[in-house]
Amino acid sequence: MLTLNLNTTVPFSKSTHHFSNNTRLHTSSSALLHIPTKPSIFTRIHVPPYPFGFSSKPTFQIHCLNPKLPSLFSSKPRSQTSKPKAASSDASEPNPTVPKPKATTRQLALIFGLWYFQNIVFNIFNKKALNVFPFPWLLASFQLFAGSVWMLILWSLKLQPCPKISKPFIIALLGPALFHTIGHISACVSFSKVAVSFTHVIKSSEPVFSVVFSSFLGDTYPVQVWLSILPIVMGCSLAAVTEVSFNLQGLWGALISNVGFVLRNIYSKRSLQSFKEVDGLNLYGWISIISLFYLFPVAVFVEGPQWVQGYHRAIASVGKPSTFYLWVLLSGVFYHLYNQSSYQALDEISPLTFSVGNTMKRVVVIVSTVLVFRNPVRPLNALGSAVAIFGTFLYSQATAKKKKEAEKKD
């Protein structure tokens, strides 16, 4: 048998990581004259001694002297890039499926735990600051500012890789940043008008908005999903009617916040698919920066003339300026931290699953804030909250069943 060894440089395509082991090699006499004789440090092409093997087509194999080389051309971060599959000697043999590491589940559980804890701390100190300084537009702007500074520090110290900035990337973030701004300021307005527990009960209806808007964008859901959102609507309505601290602005603020955050989640997920090199933390960092530019000019227009007098009243109410500063600082830092954790979770799950996790988080937040602020809760109010949470459980079960059916079809 004739064995032919060719040493040549093979150009790699940026978007190609795997090479087929059953590829036809076309050469001509003129092309062979231009083959460089200098061996390449990257690859070596070897035509096996039995070129016909199990196939009637000639085959060749590409051996990389540096096994890590393909990851350099990945469009995802290295930690998210799977290792190239080994070439099989039989073209008809399917490549084995690499199972998802078990560590991913543990990491996701840790992210959810941090997300819940950080959200509790944020809600407590955010409400304390709003009780003495009822200017949600300025406080919401400061929280975005704190998150922006946090990300700039991480990027400057290289603790977090800074994504490459391009015009398409900024344009893709304009929509999610706008929806995030709407959701954030609406929630802050609601927190300033009513009890934290009431705002979160109303915001537990987020799966309803998620289903509705996802349907408008082309997704379809079985009847079980639509039926599961009915208890959520009924429970939230009962809780609103029996709420001691009911305020119309607080109610509308929570509802508008649901709309903003659901649209933010949907379009952020699409942005992650378009820019796979950007992880959840970097995505939220740039959303915070853009949202700050959206919100602060409007905050100056809405509340600016009242800030100085409000500040002096807040200091007089608290007694120590350092206490007030600490409340505001903690609200800003933990606002960014819990959103950072939520975006890391959003990297791994769908927007609908994210909404369910967000709703279950509200149960913990509602109980925690009721204990801290000792808000009065009527029996019917507690019943309405329980019905809404039970509807969320039914919703999660229905969406999980829908996902399994979709996987079977695929």
Side-chain angles (χ1 to χ4, degrees), residues 277-314:
E277 71 278 6
V278 183
D279 59 13
L281 196 156
N282 282 336
L283 180 66
Y284 178 70
W286 280 106
I287 285 179
S288 296
I289 295 173
I290 298 174
S291 296
L292 178 61
F293 285 98
Y294 278 143
L295 183 59
F296 185 69
V298 183
V300 174
F301 176 78
V302 174
E303 297 177 343
Q306 308 174 39
W307 287 344
V308 176
Q309 295 180 354
Y311 168 77
H312 291 296
R313 288 195 300 266

Side-chain angles (χ1 to χ4, degrees), residues 181-203:
T181 306
I182 295 173
H184 179 40
I185 184 56
S186 300
C188 282
V189 170
S190 180
F191 287 137
S192 67
K193 300 296 181 181
V194 295
V196 177
S197 57
F198 175 68
T199 299
H200 280 282
V201 168
I202 300 303
K203 285 175 68 63

Side-chain angles (χ1 to χ4, degrees), residues 12 27 30 50 67 145 151 154-155 191 198 274-275 353 361:
F12 288 90
T27 58
S30 60
Y50 303 97
F145 173 76
M151 292 305 303
L154 293 182
W155 290 331
F191 287 137
F198 175 68
S274 301
F275 301 91
T353 306
K361 173 207 66 181

Side-chain angles (χ1 to χ4, degrees), residues 133-177:
F133 188 75
F135 297 98
W137 290 80
L138 177 59
L139 192 60
S141 299
F142 175 79
Q143 290 161 359
L144 294 174
F145 173 76
S148 301
V149 173
W150 179 280
M151 292 305 303
L152 291 175
I153 293 175
L154 293 182
W155 290 331
S156 61
L157 297 179
K158 297 182 179 180
L159 299 176
Q160 172 70 16
C162 182
K164 294 182 179 180
I165 306 305
S166 61
K167 185 177 180 181
F169 176 70
I170 297 299
I171 293 176
L173 290 183
L174 292 179

Side-chain angles (χ1 to χ4, degrees), residues 234-286:
M234 294 173 59
C236 290
S237 301
L238 180 60
V241 171
T242 58
E243 174 60 36
V244 176
S245 64
F246 179 82
N247 179 280
L248 191 59
Q249 291 182 350
L251 174 64
W252 278 107
L255 292 175
I256 296 174
S257 179
N258 282 342
V259 175
F261 284 137
V262 164
L263 293 178
R264 180 203 67 177
N265 296 340
I266 293 174
Y267 285 102
S268 293
K269 192 69 176 182
R270 295 190 173 189
S271 297
L272 285 173
Q273 293 177 353
S274 301
F275 301 91
K276 295 183 181 297
E277 71 278 6
V278 183
D279 59 13
L281 196 156
N282 282 336
L283 180 66
Y284 178 70
W286 280 106

Side-chain angles (χ1 to χ4, degrees), residues 17 23 30 204 226 240 288:
H17 295 173
T23 305
S30 60
S204 65
W226 290 99
S288 296

